Amino acid sequence: MATCLRLQRCGAPRLRPALPGHGLRPRAGCWAPRPAELRAYAPGLGALPEALLRTDSFVGGRWLPAAATFPVLDPASGAELGRVADCGAPEARAAVRAAYDAFCSWRGFSAKERSSVLRKWYDLMIQNKDDLARIITAESGKPLKEAQGEVLYSAHFLEWFSEEARRVYGDVISTPAKEKRALVLKQPLGVAAVITPWNFPSAMITRKVGAALAAGCTVVVKPAEDTPFSALALAELALRAGVPPGVYNVVPCSRQKAKVVGEALCTDPLVSKISFTGSTATGKVLLHYAADSVKRVSMELGGLAPFIVFDSADVDQAVAGAMASKFRNSGQTCVCSNRFLVQRGVHDAFVAKLAEAMSTHLRVGHGLEERTTQGPLINEKAVEKVEKHVRDALSKGATVVTGGKRHRLGRNFFEPTLLSHVTQDMLCSHEETFGPLAPVIKFDTEEEAVAIANATDVGLAGYFYSRDPAQIWRVAERLEVGMVGVNEGLISSVECPFGGVKQSGLGREGSKYGIDEYLEVKYVCFGGL
């Protein structure tokens, strides 16, 4: 019998095992005759950290309930983890007002003072890294080891921007007039509305918020409805770190209220900046909202990452890169490889070795299982999309090498899947799957591969494997993406700029460039000297 994570609102949130009979049940249409049971956990293994669990909104340094609540579910079992404040437009506007009031004082903090506050927040994340990871696994389903990695990645953005806060430099410009001097100042924009996704519920917040706070901005965060506990845990740590009231605010809401809350945040005249990570379709809606008041925007939107393996590649190295790039978080990352383009000379060897690696190294299960490398997809809709892509590909001539159906665990679990004989007219070739599906397209020439890779209206990340130096330079420069991995499947780093081209977004996050997204450039002319 599975032991599910559940929260109770009775003073501090507490957990209790699921009631008998509340485990996984067979689902109509599954390929397996009956779902397997998730392993029962030892007592205490599923317990989440009470000290970091919060269920109210966080506005102006206070925990505030809302008139309604919404459930947060464990994607592996469907068990209710807890109920969280379901904020609406009034609560969003109140959070903006709190952030605006706080901005008037926060912008006056010295760079060193802001740096110290961010550093304390980072230190607390490191001290509580195991508890934060368990929260991520519970609400997003990702394996615990990956969640632990995300917490470190997330914390390092606070560390990085605590250092960058003291490196916001202006300029002195020589003018042709002897009696004049020209200065360039960099000043904080104001209140930033931050809207984040569920697949990295901690790191996508700190990557934005760290830069904003370092620059002197204040923020209102609307976390994804699937994963609000991570944002609220960060708020608890921000409070302990001495982040002043109103500087960091969190307004969780249900999927039903997401549109009105997003609109309220993006149209409020007190908001100067919008930062969003999510789908291209939603990004376009938010851009329309921002246009009316000409707000600054950062958008990290959808991708369709190509993964190209040339004949000159080290096939074993390419397979290792493919495993890292494709199957992290069960394929639910915006930079996951979505299309595998493999040159004819190494195609068969690559497919065979990738299938073997998938069979050997991928283990599907609950994220708290020690051996799990592939957790559930976030919800039923996500599973249905993977099924749709597989079904479409098979109907058009693709072949299943391994996987291809829902996993025997049922619910939101799907088998890691490898398809061969894939063509460009299949959905998986031109739609982002966001799941554990690796479709392989065979090609003949470098020009053909680059043309296929660029034949899309998005361009976030791209990967290719080659040992030909001239080819490496050519392809790296010709790929129409914002980030390129050459003989490398994992490219994200706090020190490097993250972002895309075409309809994959606007602006860059992380790195020394990330803080510029929250700064205004002001020119000052001194005359009469």
Side-chain angles (χ1 to χ4, degrees):
M1 176 61 64
T3 300
C4 302
L5 307 175
R6 298 177 68 103
L7 299 181
Q8 286 183 293
R9 294 282 308 274
C10 181
R14 296 182 181 277
L15 300 169
R16 67 181 183 187
L19 297 175
H22 283 209
L24 298 179
R25 293 175 296 185
R27 181 185 181 279
C30 286
W31 291 55
R34 61 182 299 274
E37 291 186 350
L38 295 174
R39 189 185 69 182
Y41 301 113
L45 181 61
L48 293 181
E50 294 182 0
L52 294 182
L53 285 172
R54 294 292 180 267
T55 56
D56 292 331
S57 65
F58 184 70
V59 176
R62 296 185 299 157
W63 296 104
L64 302 176
T69 61
F70 69 96
V72 180
L73 307 179
D74 175 357
S77 67
E80 185 176 302
L81 297 172
R83 300 190 70 86
V84 174
D86 193 4
C87 297
E91 290 87 353
R93 286 190 286 268
V96 169
R97 169 54 69 177
Y100 183 78
D101 291 343
F103 172 66
C104 298
S105 59
W106 179 247
R107 68 180 301 175
F109 278 50
S110 70
K112 184 176 181 179
E113 289 172 327
R114 293 197 298 269
S115 173
S116 296
V117 171
L118 286 169
R119 179 69 196 202
K120 290 177 184 176
W121 198 2
Y122 159 78
D123 289 338
L124 285 170
M125 284 195 71
I126 295 301
Q127 292 169 22
N128 292 274
K129 63 182 187 297
D130 291 335
D131 289 345
L132 292 170
R134 299 184 85 80
I135 291 174
I136 290 174
T137 293
E139 62 183 353
S140 76
K142 71 172 56 177
L144 185 59
K145 288 183 180 178
E146 288 192 19
Q148 291 166 340
E150 180 183 344
V151 171
L152 293 178
Y153 182 52
S154 176
H156 288 154
F157 280 113
L158 296 182
E159 178 188 41
W160 172 262
F161 284 115
S162 75
E163 297 162 351
E164 288 298 291
R166 303 179 68 178
R167 301 192 186 108
V168 177
Y169 303 126
D171 287 298
V172 178
I173 301 173
S174 297
T175 68
K178 293 182 179 179
E179 71 280 6
K180 294 181 181 180
R181 297 293 184 272
L183 306 177
V184 175
L185 308 179
K186 290 186 177 181
Q187 296 181 309
L189 282 169
V191 177
V194 172
I195 302 175
T196 56
W198 51 263
N199 58 339
F200 286 90
S202 180
M204 294 303 95
I205 292 176
T206 57
R207 191 164 72 185
K208 300 170 187 294
V209 170
L213 269 58
C217 296
T218 56
V219 299
V220 178
V221 177
K222 191 207 84 64
E225 58 273 10
D226 295 299
T227 55
F229 286 124
S230 291
L232 296 170
L234 288 175
E236 172 62 29
L237 294 181
L239 189 62
R240 297 183 196 177
V243 175
V247 171
Y248 177 77
N249 306 275
V250 183
V251 284
C253 69
S254 63
R255 184 172 282 103
Q256 290 72 25
K257 292 185 179 178
K259 184 179 185 299
V260 295
V261 170
E263 183 175 0
L265 292 175
C266 295
T267 58
D268 195 304
L270 298 182
V271 171
S272 300
K273 163 78 178 186
I274 300 168
S275 181
F276 170 72
T277 295
S279 72
T280 298
T282 302
K284 290 178 179 180
V285 173
L286 300 183
L287 282 169
H288 279 292
Y289 292 152
D292 285 340
S293 50
V294 196
K295 301 184 190 301
R296 285 272 295 274
V297 296
S298 296
M299 296 276 162
E300 192 263 283
L301 307 177
L304 194 67
F307 188 105
I308 307 171
V309 184
F310 290 105
D311 283 345
S312 63
D314 180 323
V315 174
D316 291 330
Q317 185 183 36
V319 167
M323 292 287 289
S325 174
K326 175 71 255 184
F327 295 107
R328 185 164 55 116
N329 199 17
S330 299
Q332 300 174 110
T333 84
C334 54
V335 293
C336 271
S337 299
N338 204 82
R339 304 166 289 159
F340 288 83
L341 314 178
V342 185
Q343 199 159 12
R344 186 175 298 275
V346 294
H347 174 275
D348 293 351
F350 176 83
V351 170
K353 290 186 175 185
L354 181 57
E356 181 181 3
M358 291 169 62
S359 175
T360 303
H361 300 295
L362 300 183
R363 293 288 181 273
V364 178
H366 194 291
L368 292 176
E369 292 258 6
E370 184 177 352
R371 297 181 66 225
T372 294
T373 65
Q374 303 289 286
L377 300 189
I378 191 65
N379 53 38
E380 173 71 14
K381 185 177 179 181
V383 178
E384 289 174 352
K385 185 173 186 181
V386 180
E387 284 185 318
K388 177 183 177 182
H389 281 196
V390 172
R391 187 166 57 248
D392 172 79
L394 295 182
S395 72
K396 296 175 181 176
T399 302
V400 173
V401 180
T402 185
K405 59 186 183 296
R406 293 188 186 232
H407 193 272
R408 60 190 178 86
L409 288 176
R411 287 199 63 82
N412 298 329
F413 292 93
F414 199 89
E415 294 178 348
T417 299
L418 176 61
L419 300 181
S420 64
H421 300 98
V422 174
T423 56
Q424 295 180 64
D425 64 328
M426 298 175 184
L427 288 177
C428 58
S429 296
H430 54 83
E431 285 185 7
E432 188 174 28
T433 302
F434 233 64
L437 171 61
V440 180
I441 300 172
K442 187 185 297 185
F443 72 89
D444 290 303
T445 68
E446 177 185 313
E447 291 73 18
E448 180 188 1
V450 172
I452 295 172
N454 291 340
T456 174
D457 57 7
V458 294
L460 187 57
Y463 310 85
F464 70 92
Y465 280 70
S466 171
R467 288 182 287 189
D468 179 339
Q471 184 178 60
I472 287 173
W473 279 111
R474 287 193 306 271
V475 176
E477 292 176 352
R478 291 173 61 198
L479 284 179
E480 296 172 358
V481 295
M483 300 171 286
V484 180
V486 182
N487 297 327
E488 178 57 59
L490 296 176
I491 57 176
S492 297
S493 171
V494 298
E495 297 84 1
C496 301
F498 192 102
V501 300
K502 300 196 275 193
Q503 293 187 34
S504 281
L506 302 166
R508 292 296 182 269
E509 294 185 336
S511 79
K512 68 176 184 179
Y513 304 103
I515 199 169
D516 289 336
E517 301 289 335
Y518 298 89
L519 293 168
E520 291 274 25
V521 173
K522 178 184 286 186
Y523 157 53
V524 179
C525 179
F526 278 78
L529 301 177

